[in-house]
Amino acid sequence: MKLLIERQPWHVNDIGIPHPTYFHPHSDNDIIAWQLKIIRSNRKNLVSFAGGARPEAKDNIRSILIDQCTSKSNGKCHFLNCSSTKCDEPESITQLFMESEFCMQPPGDSPTRKSVFDSLISGCIPVLFDPFTAYYQYPWHLPEDHDKYSVFLDKKEVKQMNVNVVERVANVSSRERENMRRFIVYELLPGLAYGDHNAELDKFQDAFGITMNNLLERVSRLDQADKD
């Protein structure tokens, strides 16, 4: 079995685990304090996108998203251009996502993005355009009901100019946003973070703990199957 941050779902021995983020709690109290900070965050942006255009990428929709964000959003969308070095600064990314209701997460060089987990850790609802970005990747860490924590818009629809992302997420009601954010913060967030090297977690399981418990359970089932 292989633990991978991007797996091939049809390979049964490939196991997807979350990309590490900038948040590495030491204790349960660290997680609780972070949850409270995220829930109380003032989200002044409806939606944001941190990335570059990547015009050379196959089936690229980033240029379209950047155009929608910068020229067709009436100030509702914030674009952080990763052609500069700002995206290498954890504070810039975290602040942007903490100030945004939704975060666009288009594929880059490959379907998965570390930024998906940065947004979830920051309580920003990810807008996904390819099911391979998250839905088929992390069954141990993300629920099958992806509507609980994300918005999905087909990249083909975006590429054909049939959907405006900013307009679409603006139609998500405040109650729906609140429900999704609370699910992200209180149900998902602890299990997406990796504790620090000497973390002492009792109430919560971090991403590593969830991975190891599921891995041991899977090995145990395989051993039992061999005995039977």
Side-chain angles (χ1 to χ4, degrees), residues 2 7-8 10 14 21 29 48 51 60 66 75 91 134 147 156 174 189 201 204 209 215:
K2 295 183 289 185
R7 73 184 186 119
Q8 303 296 338
W10 50 87
D14 285 2
T21 67
N29 286 338
S48 63
N60 171 61
I66 291 169
E91 296 82 5
D147 290 336
K156 293 179 182 177
S174 297
L189 189 154
L201 301 175
F204 300 105
L215 191 60

Side-chain angles (χ1 to χ4, degrees), residues 96-190:
L96 175 64
F97 289 170
M98 285 180 62
E99 293 177 348
S100 303
E101 295 265 14
F102 298 91
C103 295
M104 298 184 195
Q105 301 293 348
D109 295 328
S110 65
T112 65
R113 293 193 81 200
K114 174 183 179 296
S115 183
V116 171
F117 294 97
D118 290 332
S119 67
L120 288 168
I121 288 291
S122 303
C124 187
I125 301 164
V127 182
L128 304 179
F129 304 90
D130 185 332
F132 283 93
T133 298
Y135 303 153
Y136 302 154
Q137 294 288 342
Y138 313 103
W140 290 353
H141 298 83
L142 295 175
E144 287 187 25
D145 187 357
H146 52 76
D147 290 336
K148 287 185 175 181
Y149 68 90
S150 68
V151 172
F152 180 75
L153 300 174
D154 195 313
K155 61 184 178 183
K156 293 179 182 177
E157 292 293 302
V158 176
K159 195 165 188 178
Q160 293 170 4
M161 307 292 191
N162 292 332
V163 60
N164 181 296
V165 178
V166 180
E167 292 177 358
R168 183 64 64 87
V169 298
N171 289 328
V172 179
S173 70
S174 297
R175 180 180 291 275
E176 288 178 286
R177 296 177 202 176
E178 179 66 18
N179 288 341
M180 293 169 76
R181 182 161 296 106
R182 293 186 70 84
F183 182 80
I184 289 169
V185 172
Y186 292 115
E187 300 296 330
L188 295 185
L189 189 154

Side-chain angles (χ1 to χ4, degrees):
M1 285 181 279
K2 295 183 289 185
L3 301 179
L4 305 165
I5 55 175
E6 180 171 316
R7 73 184 186 119
Q8 303 296 338
W10 50 87
H11 292 169
V12 295
N13 289 325
D14 285 2
I15 299 168
I17 58 174
H19 286 257
T21 67
Y22 303 119
F23 177 54
H24 300 289
H26 173 71
S27 66
D28 291 336
N29 286 338
D30 288 346
I31 293 177
I32 293 170
W34 184 256
Q35 288 173 320
L36 190 59
K37 180 178 181 179
I38 294 304
I39 279 294
R40 291 178 173 176
S41 181
N42 178 27
R43 299 185 183 270
K44 60 185 181 181
N45 304 313
L46 172 64
V47 61
S48 63
F49 175 43
R54 301 276 185 89
E56 74 287 350
K58 183 181 179 181
D59 295 328
N60 171 61
I61 60 170
R62 290 180 171 220
S63 296
I64 297 171
L65 297 179
I66 291 169
D67 180 59
Q68 290 184 3
C69 184
T70 56
S71 64
K72 300 176 182 177
S73 69
N74 295 319
K76 295 179 180 178
C77 184
H78 186 99
F79 171 53
L80 181 64
N81 189 349
C82 287
S83 297
S84 67
T85 59
K86 287 186 176 180
C87 291
D88 295 328
E89 301 170 2
E91 296 82 5
S92 298
I93 294 292
T94 302
Q95 181 177 355
L96 175 64
F97 289 170
M98 285 180 62
E99 293 177 348
S100 303
E101 295 265 14
F102 298 91
C103 295
M104 298 184 195
Q105 301 293 348
D109 295 328
S110 65
T112 65
R113 293 193 81 200
K114 174 183 179 296
S115 183
V116 171
F117 294 97
D118 290 332
S119 67
L120 288 168
I121 288 291
S122 303
C124 187
I125 301 164
V127 182
L128 304 179
F129 304 90
D130 185 332
F132 283 93
T133 298
Y135 303 153
Y136 302 154
Q137 294 288 342
Y138 313 103
W140 290 353
H141 298 83
L142 295 175
E144 287 187 25
D145 187 357
H146 52 76
D147 290 336
K148 287 185 175 181
Y149 68 90
S150 68
V151 172
F152 180 75
L153 300 174
D154 195 313
K155 61 184 178 183
K156 293 179 182 177
E157 292 293 302
V158 176
K159 195 165 188 178
Q160 293 170 4
M161 307 292 191
N162 292 332
V163 60
N164 181 296
V165 178
V166 180
E167 292 177 358
R168 183 64 64 87
V169 298
N171 289 328
V172 179
S173 70
S174 297
R175 180 180 291 275
E176 288 178 286
R177 296 177 202 176
E178 179 66 18
N179 288 341
M180 293 169 76
R181 182 161 296 106
R182 293 186 70 84
F183 182 80
I184 289 169
V185 172
Y186 292 115
E187 300 296 330
L188 295 185
L189 189 154
L192 300 179
Y194 291 89
D196 67 19
H197 68 283
N198 59 349
E200 298 176 358
L201 301 175
D202 295 317
K203 179 179 179 180
F204 300 105
Q205 273 194 315
D206 70 350
F208 178 77
I210 290 173
T211 299
M212 293 309 298
N213 286 341
N214 278 278
L215 191 60
L216 291 172
E217 182 180 336
R218 185 168 178 177
V219 170
S220 177
R221 288 201 306 268
L222 291 173
D223 286 344
Q224 187 61 44
D226 288 340
K227 292 176 182 178
D228 294 342

